């Protein structure tokens, strides 16, 4: 079932969902199941699985020279989505990236999703690779998520890239896109970024999931501004519980988001990592309760492969 249908069916009740990161290659999918199991009692109607960009690795050739190769550390998003969907009878949402994929590769990936009964996808641009200053599209790939939304919508109309096949049935993907309450880090202003978001929605995106934020006011203002420019689709808040002291520097640096002063003060008072995790959980519970009171359609948690803190939050909120 589509994410938007789940929201409609919930009839105003806030739903619980979360995002998983595929395990590093070579690891067993059982680790992932062990993290999903404790969260299933909260009835997530859908679970997202991220896609990691390719990375450069340097292989020692033995003659003092290094060979640069491209590899993916966490492949398998679509396979994991299919496994979870069938094991737990839950909808899954693979994240589909522009970066690192040609349009043809994207088409094959979407065809696989269609065969597997996966009805939802998150259409994302992806970040720049670690050695790049700016995002660069792959040769034959998309530059912006809007173009990816276009491609997915074309498949929904039965239009394949090279039009050599007469498709006798159409895909029917529900498309999620990313939104940034504190603006995307490359965008010159929040207003410009919102216009870009509107372009994604006008191209056919059905819902928005936000970047993490720690101050609900930022989300409320973002939704208000989005509605004012005519974005009417559901805007799902993304919540990440802060878990380690390093997050105080890392999250603002990587995502260009602000952390509220009271949260920083509480973290700085902590003596142990356990204390910090508890502060992160408590903060996320308060955020979640306020968002739920504001009738958000879904509370979507960034689990980062660990379910214990998400379970503690869900127990207090759902
Ligand atoms: P876009 O919507 O393409 O926007 C990128 C930038 O370009 C923005 O600054 C935008 O304002 C600007 N822009 C858009 N269109 C135009 C235009 N026509 N002209 C000029 N500028 C334009 N990353 C991963 O690698 N894997 C994941 O699984 C993943 N999941 C995510 C899930 C969520 C909910 C979120 C919020 C982010 C996720 N990301 C993921 C990170 C995401 O890939 C990055 O934030 C990326 O830098 C931007 O992606 P986007 O889809 O928002 O890009």
């Amino acid at each position: 079932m589509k994410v938007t249908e789940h929201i409609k069916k919930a009839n105003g009740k806030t739903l619980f969902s979360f995002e998983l990161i595929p395990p590093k290659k070579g690891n067993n999918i059982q680790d992932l199941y062990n993290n999903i199991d404790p969260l299933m009692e909260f009835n997530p109607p859908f679970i997202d699985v991220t896609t990691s960009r390719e990375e450069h690795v340097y292989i020692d050739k033995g003659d003092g020279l290094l060979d640069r190769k491209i590899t993916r550390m966490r492949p398998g998003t679509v396979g994991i989505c299919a496994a979870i969907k069938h094991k737990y009878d839950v909808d899954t949402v693979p994240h589909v990236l522009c970066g690192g994929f040609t349009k043809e590769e994207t088409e094959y990936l979407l065809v696989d999703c269609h065969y597997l009964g996966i009805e939802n996808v998150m259409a994302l641009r992806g970040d720049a690779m670690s050695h790049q200053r700016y995002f660069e599209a792959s040769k034959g790939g998309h530059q912006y998520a809007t173009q990816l939304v276009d491609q997915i919508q074309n498949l929904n109309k039965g239009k394949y890239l090279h039009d050599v096949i007469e498709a006798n049935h159409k895909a029917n993907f529900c498309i999620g896109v990313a939104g940034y309450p504190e603006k995307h880090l490359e965008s010159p202003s929040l207003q410009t970024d919102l216009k870009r978001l509107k372009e994604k929605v006008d191209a056919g995106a059905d819902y928005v999931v936000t970047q993490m934020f720690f101050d609900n006011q930022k989300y409320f203002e973002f939704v208000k501004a989005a509605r004012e420019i005519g974005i009417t689709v559901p805007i799902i808040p993304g919540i990440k519980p802060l878990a380690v002291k390093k997050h105080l520097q890392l999250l603002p640096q990587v995502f260009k988001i602000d952390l509220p002063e009271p949260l920083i003060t509480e973290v700085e008072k902590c003596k142990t990592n356990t204390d910090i995790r508890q502060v992160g959980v408590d903060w996320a519970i308060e955020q979640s309760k306020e968002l739920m009171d504001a009738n958000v359609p879904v509370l979507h948690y960034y689990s980062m492969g660990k379910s214990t803190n998400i379970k503690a939050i869900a127990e207090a909120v759902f």
Side-chain angles (χ1 to χ4, degrees):
M1 205 160 119
K2 293 179 173 193
V3 167
T4 46
E5 289 168 347
H6 283 295
I7 292 173
K8 220 176 200 169
K9 199 172 144 210
N11 208 10
K13 183 171 167 269
T14 301
L15 301 168
F16 164 78
S17 82
F18 59 95
E19 172 185 294
L20 295 165
I21 301 175
K24 282 199 175 149
K25 65 185 170 195
N27 287 350
N28 199 298
I29 197 167
Q30 188 58 45
D31 292 347
L32 214 56
Y33 295 154
N34 293 345
N35 276 304
I36 297 173
D37 287 341
L39 299 178
M40 290 315 288
E41 66 177 280
F42 306 105
N43 299 318
F46 62 93
I47 298 172
D48 278 49
V49 182
T50 65
T51 294
S52 304
R53 279 217 61 177
E54 72 279 30
E55 294 169 39
H56 279 154
V57 287
Y58 294 88
I59 312 289
D60 190 344
K61 288 170 60 180
D63 54 5
L65 296 174
L66 295 174
D67 210 1
R68 192 169 78 173
K69 299 279 184 204
I70 284 187
T71 187
R72 262 176 216 283
M73 299 295 186
R74 297 172 185 271
T77 299
V78 172
I80 291 169
C81 279
I84 295 173
K85 181 175 168 58
H86 294 287
K87 180 172 164 64
Y88 296 98
D89 191 20
V90 63
D91 281 299
T92 46
V93 188
H95 290 192
V96 181
L97 300 185
C98 301
F101 294 90
T102 64
K103 293 172 198 164
E104 285 76 9
E105 286 165 339
T106 298
E107 184 167 288
Y108 303 144
L109 186 149
L110 292 166
V111 167
D112 283 349
C113 290
H114 184 57
Y115 287 147
L116 292 162
I118 293 168
E119 294 177 77
N120 302 282
V121 290
M122 267 298 276
L124 299 147
R125 188 196 70 177
D127 285 318
M129 286 173 74
S130 51
H131 68 284
Q132 291 170 336
R133 203 167 155 74
Y134 302 106
F135 175 85
E136 285 171 30
S138 305
K139 200 161 174 271
H142 297 298
Q143 178 69 34
Y144 296 113
T146 317
Q147 298 159 337
L148 180 54
V149 174
D150 264 335
Q151 182 179 1
I152 303 167
Q153 277 299 357
N154 278 337
L155 278 193
N156 283 351
K157 293 177 196 134
K159 266 170 72 181
Y160 288 75
L161 278 176
H162 303 304
D163 254 353
V164 285
I165 327 167
E166 279 293 322
N168 56 12
H169 64 273
K170 300 167 185 170
N172 190 17
F173 290 112
C174 173
I175 308 169
V177 289
Y180 302 84
E182 298 178 61
K183 93 172 179 65
H184 182 255
L185 54 103
E186 292 163 30
S187 195
S189 72
L190 184 56
Q191 208 50 38
T192 308
D193 205 29
L194 271 163
K195 278 192 222 150
R196 300 302 182 195
L197 179 60
K198 172 99 169 34
E199 286 166 9
K200 291 195 273 195
V201 174
D202 290 345
D206 298 289
Y207 69 100
V208 176
V209 182
T210 75
Q211 182 57 279
M212 67 184 77
F213 55 89
F214 291 85
D215 175 356
N216 285 350
Q217 209 45 43
K218 300 261 168 68
Y219 168 83
F220 294 135
E221 284 163 14
F222 176 71
V223 174
K224 185 168 177 279
R227 300 302 181 222
E228 278 167 8
I229 62 162
I231 297 173
T232 56
V233 298
I235 301 179
I236 298 173
I239 306 289
K240 179 186 157 53
L242 189 137
V244 287
K245 193 157 193 181
K246 204 169 62 183
H247 281 157
L248 289 186
Q249 278 78 43
L250 205 67
L251 301 177
Q253 188 190 347
V254 175
F255 302 107
K256 300 285 179 289
I257 54 171
D258 280 345
L259 298 180
E261 218 47 57
L263 175 60
I264 301 169
T265 309
E266 284 308 306
V267 172
E268 284 179 340
K269 276 193 227 157
C270 292
K271 302 247 181 316
T272 65
N273 283 341
T274 315
D275 295 345
I276 295 173
R277 279 178 79 80
Q278 192 55 47
V279 167
V281 166
D282 292 344
W283 190 272
I285 290 172
E286 288 314 308
Q287 265 195 286
S288 302
K289 284 183 173 168
E290 191 185 21
L291 289 163
M292 204 183 228
D293 287 346
N295 292 324
V296 298
V298 183
L299 285 164
H300 185 72
Y301 294 93
Y302 295 108
S303 84
M304 314 304 282
K306 301 261 185 303
S307 60
T308 44
N309 50 1
I310 307 298
K311 184 176 163 70
I313 298 161
E315 266 168 351
V317 176
F318 288 91

